[in-house]
Amino acid sequence: MHKTISQINERIRDGSARVVTAEEMPAIVSELGEQGALKEVDVVTTGTFGAMCSSGAFFNFGHAEPPIRMERIWLNNVEAYGGLAAVDTYIGATQQSDTREDEYGGAHVLEDLVAGKSVELRASSRGTDCYPRRTITTELLLENLNQAIMCNPRNAYQRYNAATNTTDRTLHTYMGTLLPGCGNVSYSGAGLLNPISNDPHLRLIGSGVPIFLCGAQGMVIGEGTQHSPAGGFGTLMVTGDLKHMSQEYMRAATMTGYGVTLYVGLGIPLPVLDIDVVRATAVRNEDISVDILDYAVPSRNRPVIRKVNYAELRSGSIELNGEEVKTSSLSSFRKARQVAEELKGWVEQGKMQLALPTRPIDAKNVSRPMHQSTQGPRVLDIMDRQVVSIHEDEEIKTAAKKLLKGETNHLPVINGTGVLVGIVTTFDISKAVANPGKAHLVKDIMKTKVITAKPEEAVDIAVQKLEQYNISALPVVDADHRVLGILTAMNLGKLFGGRWLK
Amino acid sequence: MKLLVNFSRGKGRKPIIAQVVRDTGVLINVERAVIDSSEGEALIDVPDDQCKLVSDTMISLGARVHILEHSVSLDESECVDCGACISICPREVFSFDPEWKLSLDEKRCVLCGKCVDACPSHALTTPV
Ligand code: SF4
Ligand code: SF4
C-alpha cells in the first residue's frame, strides 16, 4: 500500500487526516504493525528547539528622504551587513553589539523586533549623486520594515556530538559550561523528534517543503551549509517571515565565554506515503547515537571518549571511565515537543498542507575540512632556541645568577636525565631570598606543574594557553619532555608586530 | 534561613562561628565557607526562629550579616527548559519534571553561583 501526497492533502483539507508527533510514532508502530501504522497515520510532525548560530534575517527598510545608500549599518549597535543594495541588509544572530559585547547581539535584535520593541537603525554612507544622504538614525518597529525575512543557512542539525572536558579547569564552549575532570556531559538535539532523523535519506525533506519556523510558516530552501548527511550530520537552509514569528519559539541567548546565539524552534511535517516512511518515523532515542568528544583538545579532530545514544543522554547520567557523570542538554526537549504539537495542530486544522520537494537534497554529501594553502605559524618557527635551563639540585643562588645573565624571567628546571621537572621565575627567587627559610635548592622552590607547548603546535594554541593560565612563558618540549626551547610574550611580540597578542 | 556572614580575621580574633554557637546555643550549619588569612565569608543555615539571635550576636562580634530571603531564583519567562543548569549544579537543585519542565529545590542551594553563568538565557540569579 502507499498513499499519494494529494490524498493526504485532501484529508488535511476535509479535516480527517490523522496527525501524530514523531514521539508518538514508535508506540503506534509497535501496536499496529508497520502496515497498520501506514493505514492509520497520514502525517508525522517533528520538532527541535536549540541554539542555532547560523541564523539571521534580511531586512528592507524602504528609502529615506533624501535617500541613502547604506554602507555601514547598525541595529541597536549590532553591525549588520552593508554589502547589499541601498537599503537592504542581513543581520546575523551571533554578531555582537559594539557596546554591550556578548550581553546583546544580532539574536537579541531579532527577538526584540519579534517582541514588538523598537530598534535603533544607524547607518552611514559616502554619499553618491543618486543617494546624497550620508548618515541616518531612526527608531524602527518590525511593522515599519517592508520585509523581514529570516533566512538561516544552517539549522536543524540531524544530531550533534556531545561534549565533555578532561582538563582540570572549567571550559566555556558553544556546548555550554564543561566542568573539569569530566564533571559533566553536555549535549544538544531533540533525538527522536529531530526532523532529519525521521527522514535520514531525505526523501521527504527538500526544497520548497513547508515547515514550522519560530512560530511562523516557513519553508526549506535546500541543503544547509556544512551539510554532511553521509555521516549522520545533515543540515537545512530554511526561511520564514519574521513578522509572523513568536518569542515563544525564538530566543536570544549567550553562552558564557563563547558568545551570542539564537534558539530556534523548527519543525517539519512528514507525509506518511509508504512503509519506508513508517520505518523511518518509528525511530527511537535508542537508535540515534552520537560520540562524546573531549573538548580539552583544541583541535578540529577531538578525541572520542565514548559512543552514546539519546536515550542514555536523556536519562540524566551516563557512565564514563567507571564513574557516573551527569548529562544535561543545551536544547530544550520540552520546547521541541511544543513545536511538534503546535505543528500537529496546524495540520489537523488544515492551516498547513504538505508538499514534496521541488528539488531533492543530496543524502550522501560529506562536508570537508578547510583547504588551507598556507599554514599559520607554529611554535617552532618563533620559539627561543637559546633557552637557559637549570638543574633541580642547583642552589637558588645559581638560579638567580642565571636569571640575571640571561634576558629571561623564566628558567625551566631539568633533572639528571634532562627531562623537564619544573620551572622557576624571577618572582619565585625573589620570594625565596626575601623569606629565607629551609629552601636552598631550586627543587625546593620550583613550580612542578608546568604548562608546556609542543614544537609543531600552532602559535594560536600556545597563545590561548598563555592567556588561560595567565602566564608569560611556555617551555617547548619534545615527546620525551626534553626542553627544546621557550616561547615567551617577547617572541610573540616579534610576530607581525604583536598582532598575535590581544 | 540562610545568612551570609563576612568577617575579618587576624591576630587575637576569636573563631566567630564557634563563639556564636557557644554563646547562643544555636546549632549552625555551615554550607559554604571561604576563609583566608585576613577575612572570611561563610554561608550558614540556621532555624528561622533563631535567625535574629544569631544575626545580632554575629554583628556584635564585628561581622557583617546579610539575611538571604531567597536562594537561587528562576525567571520563568526567560527559561527555555534546556536543562543546562542541571549538570552544573553541585547540589542537585535542578531537575526535570515528567513534562521536561525545569523544577527547583531551592532549599538545597548553597549560592555557589555556577548555574548563573551556565544558563544561556540569563534566567537564573542569586541574591549575592
Ligand atoms: S547557586 Fe550553585 S548551588 Fe545554587 S542552584 Fe546555582 S549551582 Fe546550584
Ligand atoms: S539553564 Fe537556564 S534556561 Fe536552561 S533550564 Fe536552566 S534556568 Fe532554564
Side-chain angles (χ1 to χ4, degrees), chain A residues 5-6 8-10 12-13 17 19 42-45 204 208-211 268-273 343 346-348 351-357:
Chain A
I5 191 86
S6 34
I8 290 173
N9 277 333
E10 214 172 283
I12 294 174
R13 279 195 297 271
V19 189
D42 298 308
V43 179
V44 174
T45 62
L204 309 171
V209 163
I211 62 169
I268 306 186
L270 302 172
V272 184
L273 301 174
L343 185 54
W346 286 3
V347 180
E348 280 172 345
K351 285 192 204 158
M352 182 182 263
Q353 294 197 22
L354 273 46
L356 290 175

Short mmCIF file of all heavy atoms in Angstrom, two decimals, chain A residues 5-6 8-10 12-13 17 19 42-45 204 208-211 268-273 343 346-348 351-357:
data_model
loop_
_atom_site.label_atom_id
_atom_site.label_comp_id
_atom_site.label_asym_id
_atom_site.label_seq_id
_atom_site.Cartn_x
_atom_site.Cartn_y
_atom_site.Cartn_z
N ILE A 5 0.66 12.22 -2.04
CA ILE A 5 0.64 13.48 -1.30
C ILE A 5 -0.71 14.17 -1.49
O ILE A 5 -1.22 14.79 -0.55
CB ILE A 5 1.83 14.37 -1.73
CG1 ILE A 5 1.99 15.57 -0.79
CG2 ILE A 5 1.71 14.88 -3.16
CD1 ILE A 5 2.80 15.28 0.41
N SER A 6 -1.34 14.00 -2.68
CA SER A 6 -2.64 14.69 -2.85
C SER A 6 -3.73 14.02 -2.03
O SER A 6 -4.63 14.71 -1.52
CB SER A 6 -3.04 14.82 -4.32
OG SER A 6 -2.60 13.72 -5.04
N ILE A 8 -3.24 12.70 0.89
CA ILE A 8 -3.01 13.19 2.26
C ILE A 8 -3.50 14.64 2.39
O ILE A 8 -4.18 14.99 3.35
CB ILE A 8 -1.51 13.06 2.63
CG1 ILE A 8 -1.17 11.58 2.79
CG2 ILE A 8 -1.20 13.83 3.91
CD1 ILE A 8 0.29 11.27 2.98
N ASN A 9 -3.20 15.46 1.39
CA ASN A 9 -3.66 16.86 1.44
C ASN A 9 -5.19 16.96 1.42
O ASN A 9 -5.76 17.85 2.06
CB ASN A 9 -3.05 17.67 0.30
CG ASN A 9 -1.64 18.15 0.65
OD1 ASN A 9 -1.33 18.32 1.83
ND2 ASN A 9 -0.80 18.36 -0.34
N GLU A 10 -5.81 16.05 0.71
CA GLU A 10 -7.27 16.05 0.68
C GLU A 10 -7.82 15.79 2.08
O GLU A 10 -8.75 16.45 2.54
CB GLU A 10 -7.74 14.96 -0.28
CG GLU A 10 -9.01 15.31 -1.04
CD GLU A 10 -9.27 14.24 -2.09
OE1 GLU A 10 -8.57 14.27 -3.12
OE2 GLU A 10 -10.11 13.37 -1.83
N ILE A 12 -6.27 16.39 4.82
CA ILE A 12 -5.99 17.58 5.65
C ILE A 12 -7.09 18.61 5.40
O ILE A 12 -7.62 19.21 6.34
CB ILE A 12 -4.59 18.16 5.33
CG1 ILE A 12 -3.49 17.18 5.74
CG2 ILE A 12 -4.40 19.50 6.05
CD1 ILE A 12 -2.08 17.58 5.37
N ARG A 13 -7.44 18.81 4.14
CA ARG A 13 -8.47 19.81 3.80
C ARG A 13 -9.83 19.45 4.40
O ARG A 13 -10.52 20.33 4.93
CB ARG A 13 -8.59 19.95 2.28
CG ARG A 13 -7.52 20.86 1.67
CD ARG A 13 -7.88 21.26 0.25
NE ARG A 13 -7.94 20.11 -0.65
CZ ARG A 13 -6.89 19.64 -1.33
NH1 ARG A 13 -5.70 20.21 -1.19
NH2 ARG A 13 -7.01 18.59 -2.13
N ALA A 17 -7.49 13.97 8.38
CA ALA A 17 -6.13 13.42 8.44
C ALA A 17 -5.76 13.04 9.86
O ALA A 17 -6.09 13.75 10.81
CB ALA A 17 -5.14 14.45 7.90
N VAL A 19 -2.94 12.91 12.41
CA VAL A 19 -1.62 13.52 12.58
C VAL A 19 -1.06 13.13 13.94
O VAL A 19 -1.77 13.23 14.95
CB VAL A 19 -1.71 15.07 12.49
CG1 VAL A 19 -0.32 15.68 12.44
CG2 VAL A 19 -2.53 15.49 11.28
N ASP A 42 -1.41 9.64 8.75
CA ASP A 42 -1.17 10.36 7.50
C ASP A 42 0.04 11.29 7.58
O ASP A 42 0.76 11.48 6.61
CB ASP A 42 -2.41 11.19 7.13
CG ASP A 42 -3.62 10.29 6.90
OD1 ASP A 42 -3.48 9.34 6.11
OD2 ASP A 42 -4.67 10.52 7.54
N VAL A 43 0.22 11.90 8.75
CA VAL A 43 1.30 12.88 8.89
C VAL A 43 2.00 12.69 10.23
O VAL A 43 1.35 12.48 11.25
CB VAL A 43 0.74 14.33 8.82
CG1 VAL A 43 1.87 15.36 8.98
CG2 VAL A 43 -0.01 14.57 7.52
N VAL A 44 3.33 12.76 10.21
CA VAL A 44 4.11 12.74 11.45
C VAL A 44 4.79 14.10 11.57
O VAL A 44 5.48 14.54 10.65
CB VAL A 44 5.18 11.63 11.41
CG1 VAL A 44 6.09 11.72 12.64
CG2 VAL A 44 4.53 10.26 11.34
N THR A 45 4.58 14.77 12.72
CA THR A 45 5.24 16.07 12.88
C THR A 45 6.48 15.92 13.74
O THR A 45 6.51 15.16 14.70
CB THR A 45 4.30 17.12 13.51
OG1 THR A 45 3.93 16.68 14.82
CG2 THR A 45 3.08 17.34 12.66
N LEU A 204 11.70 13.06 1.89
CA LEU A 204 10.55 13.95 2.06
C LEU A 204 10.96 15.40 2.31
O LEU A 204 10.19 16.32 2.08
CB LEU A 204 9.71 13.47 3.26
CG LEU A 204 9.32 11.99 3.26
CD1 LEU A 204 8.70 11.62 4.59
CD2 LEU A 204 8.36 11.71 2.11
N GLY A 208 11.43 23.68 -0.92
CA GLY A 208 10.02 24.00 -1.07
C GLY A 208 9.10 23.36 -0.06
O GLY A 208 7.91 23.67 -0.01
N VAL A 209 9.64 22.47 0.78
CA VAL A 209 8.79 21.78 1.75
C VAL A 209 8.39 22.74 2.89
O VAL A 209 9.24 23.45 3.42
CB VAL A 209 9.53 20.53 2.29
CG1 VAL A 209 8.91 20.00 3.55
CG2 VAL A 209 9.58 19.46 1.21
N PRO A 210 7.09 22.80 3.23
CA PRO A 210 6.64 23.72 4.27
C PRO A 210 7.10 23.28 5.66
O PRO A 210 7.15 22.09 5.95
CB PRO A 210 5.12 23.66 4.18
CG PRO A 210 4.83 22.34 3.56
CD PRO A 210 5.98 22.02 2.65
N ILE A 211 7.45 24.24 6.50
CA ILE A 211 7.94 23.94 7.84
C ILE A 211 7.35 24.92 8.86
O ILE A 211 6.77 25.94 8.49
CB ILE A 211 9.49 24.05 7.92
CG1 ILE A 211 9.96 25.47 7.61
CG2 ILE A 211 10.15 23.05 6.98
CD1 ILE A 211 11.42 25.71 7.92
N ILE A 268 9.10 20.00 11.04
CA ILE A 268 8.71 19.66 9.66
C ILE A 268 7.65 18.56 9.72
O ILE A 268 7.84 17.55 10.40
CB ILE A 268 9.93 19.18 8.84
CG1 ILE A 268 11.05 20.24 8.91
CG2 ILE A 268 9.52 18.91 7.39
CD1 ILE A 268 12.24 19.96 8.03
N PRO A 269 6.52 18.76 9.01
CA PRO A 269 5.52 17.70 8.94
C PRO A 269 5.90 16.72 7.82
O PRO A 269 6.26 17.14 6.73
CB PRO A 269 4.24 18.46 8.57
CG PRO A 269 4.71 19.68 7.84
CD PRO A 269 6.11 19.97 8.28
N LEU A 270 5.84 15.44 8.13
CA LEU A 270 6.26 14.45 7.13
C LEU A 270 5.05 13.62 6.69
O LEU A 270 4.35 13.04 7.53
CB LEU A 270 7.32 13.52 7.74
CG LEU A 270 8.58 14.23 8.25
CD1 LEU A 270 9.48 13.25 9.02
CD2 LEU A 270 9.36 14.86 7.11
N PRO A 271 4.78 13.58 5.39
CA PRO A 271 3.65 12.79 4.90
C PRO A 271 4.00 11.29 4.94
O PRO A 271 5.08 10.88 4.52
CB PRO A 271 3.50 13.26 3.45
CG PRO A 271 4.85 13.76 3.05
CD PRO A 271 5.51 14.25 4.30
N VAL A 272 3.09 10.49 5.48
CA VAL A 272 3.35 9.04 5.58
C VAL A 272 2.87 8.38 4.29
O VAL A 272 1.72 7.99 4.15
CB VAL A 272 2.65 8.45 6.82
CG1 VAL A 272 3.00 6.97 6.97
CG2 VAL A 272 3.07 9.20 8.07
N LEU A 273 3.79 8.29 3.33
CA LEU A 273 3.44 7.83 1.98
C LEU A 273 3.52 6.32 1.85
O LEU A 273 2.73 5.70 1.16
CB LEU A 273 4.41 8.44 0.96
CG LEU A 273 4.47 9.97 0.88
CD1 LEU A 273 5.57 10.40 -0.07
CD2 LEU A 273 3.13 10.52 0.41
N LEU A 343 2.62 22.20 15.51
CA LEU A 343 2.60 21.86 14.09
C LEU A 343 1.50 20.82 13.81
O LEU A 343 0.78 20.90 12.81
CB LEU A 343 3.98 21.34 13.68
CG LEU A 343 4.24 21.02 12.23
CD1 LEU A 343 3.91 22.20 11.34
CD2 LEU A 343 5.71 20.63 12.04
N TRP A 346 -1.68 22.65 13.56
CA TRP A 346 -1.81 23.35 12.28
C TRP A 346 -2.32 22.40 11.19
O TRP A 346 -3.20 22.75 10.42
CB TRP A 346 -0.46 23.87 11.80
CG TRP A 346 0.06 25.07 12.52
CD1 TRP A 346 -0.51 25.70 13.60
CD2 TRP A 346 1.27 25.77 12.22
NE1 TRP A 346 0.28 26.76 13.98
CE2 TRP A 346 1.38 26.82 13.15
CE3 TRP A 346 2.28 25.61 11.27
CZ2 TRP A 346 2.45 27.71 13.15
CZ3 TRP A 346 3.33 26.50 11.26
CH2 TRP A 346 3.42 27.54 12.20
N VAL A 347 -1.70 21.22 11.13
CA VAL A 347 -2.07 20.29 10.06
C VAL A 347 -3.49 19.76 10.30
O VAL A 347 -4.30 19.69 9.38
CB VAL A 347 -1.03 19.15 9.95
CG1 VAL A 347 -1.42 18.19 8.82
CG2 VAL A 347 0.37 19.70 9.71
N GLU A 348 -3.79 19.44 11.56
CA GLU A 348 -5.15 18.95 11.87
C GLU A 348 -6.21 19.96 11.48
O GLU A 348 -7.27 19.60 10.98
CB GLU A 348 -5.27 18.64 13.37
CG GLU A 348 -4.67 17.31 13.75
CD GLU A 348 -4.62 17.10 15.26
OE1 GLU A 348 -4.77 18.08 16.03
OE2 GLU A 348 -4.40 15.95 15.67
N LYS A 351 -4.47 24.25 8.50
CA LYS A 351 -3.76 25.51 8.29
C LYS A 351 -2.51 25.31 7.44
O LYS A 351 -1.95 26.25 6.91
CB LYS A 351 -3.31 26.10 9.64
CG LYS A 351 -4.43 26.72 10.43
CD LYS A 351 -3.82 27.53 11.57
CE LYS A 351 -4.81 27.68 12.71
NZ LYS A 351 -4.14 27.96 13.97
N MET A 352 -2.00 24.09 7.42
CA MET A 352 -0.81 23.83 6.61
C MET A 352 -1.01 22.55 5.81
O MET A 352 -1.40 21.53 6.37
CB MET A 352 0.43 23.69 7.49
CG MET A 352 1.71 23.45 6.69
SD MET A 352 3.16 23.22 7.75
CE MET A 352 3.86 24.87 7.74
N GLN A 353 -0.77 22.66 4.51
CA GLN A 353 -0.80 21.46 3.68
C GLN A 353 0.63 21.05 3.36
O GLN A 353 1.56 21.83 3.50
CB GLN A 353 -1.57 21.74 2.39
CG GLN A 353 -3.04 22.02 2.71
CD GLN A 353 -3.92 21.89 1.50
OE1 GLN A 353 -3.58 21.23 0.53
NE2 GLN A 353 -5.08 22.53 1.57
N LEU A 354 0.77 19.82 2.94
CA LEU A 354 2.12 19.29 2.74
C LEU A 354 2.54 19.34 1.27
O LEU A 354 1.69 19.44 0.38
CB LEU A 354 2.19 17.85 3.25
CG LEU A 354 2.52 17.71 4.75
CD1 LEU A 354 1.73 18.65 5.61
CD2 LEU A 354 2.35 16.29 5.21
N ALA A 355 3.84 19.29 1.06
CA ALA A 355 4.34 19.26 -0.32
C ALA A 355 5.58 18.40 -0.36
O ALA A 355 6.30 18.27 0.65
CB ALA A 355 4.67 20.67 -0.78
N LEU A 356 5.83 17.81 -1.50
CA LEU A 356 7.08 17.06 -1.68
C LEU A 356 8.13 18.02 -2.23
O LEU A 356 7.80 19.06 -2.78
CB LEU A 356 6.85 15.90 -2.65
CG LEU A 356 5.98 14.78 -2.06
CD1 LEU A 356 5.70 13.72 -3.12
CD2 LEU A 356 6.65 14.14 -0.85
N PRO A 357 9.40 17.67 -2.07
CA PRO A 357 10.46 18.58 -2.52
C PRO A 357 10.35 18.89 -4.02
O PRO A 357 10.07 18.01 -4.82
CB PRO A 357 11.75 17.81 -2.24
CG PRO A 357 11.39 16.79 -1.23
CD PRO A 357 9.94 16.46 -1.42
#
